[in-house]
Amino acid sequence: MTILIIANVLSFIGNTLFTLSSVFKSKKKILICQSSNYILAIISEFMTSAFSAMVQEGMSLIRNIILLFVKTKNKIVKLTITLICVSISVCVGIIINIYFSNNVWYGYLPIMGTIVYSTAVILAFMINMSEIKAELVLKIGLVINSIIWSIYGFYVKLYPIAIFNIITIIICIISFIRIILILNKAKDEESKI
């Protein structure tokens, strides 16, 4: 019971730091907060035997560090790095879930979340679309990812994961409403011309 409480406290601190990163403009501060979250998440997930999630967090940390040091605006290089990291995290996550977590079905949830959100990010940044449509693609990916991680958080008893992802879902729903209003306004303006 004590381990579970400590794991939830670490998860809460990590999720708070990750959420806090959204208010910063400095890439360095954002990276420090997000990386701190990944480290605390890895520790809390290890303490609760949430091994497949641990792999996803570890690869996210490695990807962020690599992208920090790769000083290029070349989308193909960034895409390649992202695809390699996602491929490794998915493959290793599956192997870890099979061999260390008795192949539990919910062990695949973080892996699915990684695939969904990474796909949304790749689509939003690699396909030529308007900024508002790219935001919509990202938010859809984020909502699906957050639903998946919320469910996982309950199964592994790391409730801050579930709570913070539910908050993310609510914020995304508010964003959907704003995006729909903007798109409808643009459509109305086009029809007047």
Side-chain angles (χ1 to χ4, degrees):
M1 184 66 172
T2 305
I3 289 176
L4 186 60
I5 292 169
I6 293 169
N8 272 276
V9 169
L10 292 174
S11 179
F12 179 81
I13 294 167
N15 278 283
T16 301
L17 287 170
F18 194 86
T19 303
L20 184 65
S21 74
S22 67
V23 301
F24 293 124
K25 292 182 181 176
S26 160
K27 285 183 182 178
K28 187 175 182 179
K29 288 180 182 177
I30 291 168
L31 184 71
I32 289 169
C33 284
Q34 288 184 356
S35 297
S36 299
N37 167 60
Y38 292 136
I39 291 165
L40 293 170
I42 291 166
I43 295 167
S44 66
E45 289 159 357
F46 178 78
M47 294 172 77
T48 58
S49 301
F51 300 124
S52 64
M54 205 172 78
V55 172
Q56 306 314 303
E57 307 283 14
M59 263 335 282
S60 294
L61 176 63
I62 291 167
R63 181 200 62 228
N64 280 4
I65 291 169
I66 291 171
L67 289 174
L68 177 70
F69 291 107
V70 173
K71 305 289 185 194
T72 181
K73 298 207 183 279
N74 187 327
K75 286 184 176 181
I76 300 300
V77 171
K78 290 181 177 182
L79 174 65
T80 303
I81 291 167
T82 300
L83 287 174
I84 290 169
C85 289
V86 168
S87 298
I88 291 170
S89 68
V90 167
C91 292
V92 173
I94 290 169
I95 292 166
I96 294 291
N97 191 55
I98 291 169
Y99 291 105
F100 292 98
S101 299
N102 297 320
N103 203 25
V104 293
W105 72 268
Y106 56 85
Y108 293 100
L109 292 174
I111 297 164
M112 290 183 342
T114 294
I115 293 168
V116 167
Y117 190 64
S118 297
T119 302
V121 169
I122 289 166
L123 289 173
F125 289 103
M126 295 305 292
I127 294 177
N128 195 11
M129 63 177 78
S130 69
E131 193 174 311
I132 195 77
K133 287 184 180 174
E135 182 184 353
L136 184 62
V137 169
L138 283 171
K139 298 291 186 203
I140 290 168
L142 188 56
V143 164
I144 295 168
N145 179 60
S146 294
I147 291 168
I148 291 169
W149 275 92
S150 291
I151 295 166
Y152 185 74
F154 281 112
Y155 273 97
V156 297
K157 298 180 181 170
L158 284 173
Y159 302 110
I161 291 174
I163 293 165
F164 277 89
N165 277 287
I166 290 168
I167 292 168
T168 300
I169 293 165
I170 293 166
I171 292 168
C172 283
I173 290 169
I174 294 166
S175 291
F176 285 146
I177 295 166
R178 182 185 58 79
I179 290 168
I180 290 167
L181 292 173
I182 290 170
L183 290 173
N184 284 340
K185 184 178 179 183
K187 190 186 265 186
D188 288 344
E189 289 175 6
E190 280 180 22
S191 66
K192 290 177 183 176
I193 295 175

